[in-house]
Amino acid sequence: QTVEHPQGGVVFKPFSMQPIVNILDPMGVIVNWDFDTVVTAQLTPSLNKNASLLGNKEVVCNAGVCLFTDLTIDRGGSNYSLVFDTYLLQSVSTTFFSVEGPSKLTIVQEPGASIVGQPLSIQPAVAVTDDSGKIHPAESEYLVNVERLEGSGASESNLGGTTSLITRNGTAWFTDLWFDSVGSRFVLNFSCHSLTGAKSAPFDTESEYRAEVCSGRQGACGAENILKSCPEC
C-alpha cells in the first residue's frame, strides 16, 4: 500500500513529497518486524516512454515502512505514475502526478541557405521547452546534438562545424554549421537525451561559382537569399 504519493515534481529536482510504501499483513496492519524487504520503484511501464526515473530506486524497509528520499524525473510532463515491486508481494502504484520542466526541443531560429563550405547564412538556435512551448532556462544544462536528417539534401553530404552544444539559459545557439556538398531541401535534425527532438525547415546550398554567376546576372546576390534573388541559377 502506498501511503504517500509523490508531489511537487520539477525536472532533475527531488519530489517535494517523496513516496512511502508500507508492507502490510493480510489484515492491513504494518509488518513492523520487517527490516529487510527491498522495494524497487520504477515509472509505470506503459507510460512515459521517453522519461527516466532518477535517484535511489531501491529502498530497504525499516519496521515495514519503505521511505524514498531523492526520486526525480528527467523530463517534464503530466500523467506520470510510479509502480513499486518487491519479491513475492503484490505491486502497488501511485496516483498520477505532473513534473514541471522541459519535455521537447523547439527551434527558435531556422537555418538559412548557404554556399558550400561556408557557414549557413542563418545559424539555427534550439531551446528546451515544455509541452506548451515555454522555455525553461534554469532547471539544468542540456546537450543538444544536430545532424543532417537522413534522406534530405545530398546523400553524401557532411555537416561541418560544432554539432554538439550545451544550452545556456535554455537555448543552444549554433554558430558555424556548414555543408560540403551542393543540394536542395537539407533538413537539420536536433536531438537531446530524454527530450522530443526537432527538425528544421528545408533549405538549400549552392556552389560559390553558381553564386558568382548569379550575382553577375542579377546584381548583389548574398548567400542569405541566393534562391530568392536568382531562381534560374
Side-chain angles (χ1 to χ4, degrees), residues 93-204:
S93 299
T94 68
T95 55
F96 291 111
F97 61 95
S98 299
V99 173
E100 297 180 5
S103 60
K104 64 180 182 178
L105 297 178
T106 299
I107 297 175
V108 295
Q109 180 165 282
E110 292 281 0
S114 72
I115 296 173
V116 170
Q118 297 185 19
L120 302 181
S121 60
I122 302 175
Q123 293 288 323
V126 181
V128 291
T129 70
D130 59 21
D131 289 339
S132 69
K134 177 184 175 182
I135 297 176
H136 285 257
E139 279 79 8
S140 182
E141 295 179 340
Y142 290 81
L143 178 65
V144 178
N145 301 300
V146 60
E147 61 183 356
R148 177 181 65 86
L149 180 67
E150 186 175 356
S152 72
S155 60
E156 300 300 323
S157 62
N158 296 302
L159 177 63
T162 304
T163 56
S164 295
L165 284 181
I166 298 292
T167 58
R168 295 290 184 268
N169 295 321
T171 304
W173 293 88
F174 292 86
T175 60
D176 60 355
L177 298 179
W178 56 276
F179 278 103
D180 64 358
S181 301
V182 172
S184 61
R185 299 191 66 80
F186 281 94
V187 174
L188 297 180
N189 185 38
F190 299 91
S191 61
C192 180
H193 173 69
S194 82
L195 303 183
T196 300
K199 297 177 178 60
S200 75
F203 60 94
D204 301 336

Side-chain angles (χ1 to χ4, degrees), residues 1-82:
Q1 177 181 357
T2 307
V3 295
E4 292 288 355
H5 299 271
Q7 295 182 17
V10 176
V11 168
F12 290 118
K13 295 183 179 179
F15 304 134
S16 60
M17 181 176 290
Q18 293 286 323
I20 300 173
V21 179
N22 287 339
I23 305 299
L24 306 179
D25 66 17
M27 301 299 294
V29 177
I30 295 177
V31 183
N32 56 18
W33 45 262
D34 186 347
F35 289 88
D36 55 11
T37 295
V38 177
V39 175
T40 302
Q42 62 179 334
L43 286 170
T44 303
S46 61
L47 301 172
N48 319 308
K49 294 181 180 179
N50 294 320
S52 296
L53 181 65
L54 308 177
N56 183 12
K57 291 171 281 191
E58 289 189 350
V59 169
V60 179
C61 291
N62 184 2
V65 178
C66 310
L67 173 63
F68 292 84
T69 60
D70 63 351
L71 295 181
T72 185
I73 291 176
D74 66 352
R75 174 190 169 103
S78 58
N79 295 325
Y80 282 108
S81 177
L82 302 182

Side-chain angles (χ1 to χ4, degrees), residues 210-224:
R210 292 182 70 184
E212 290 174 352
V213 171
C214 174
S215 179
R217 289 179 180 175
Q218 293 195 1
C221 183
E224 71 277 3

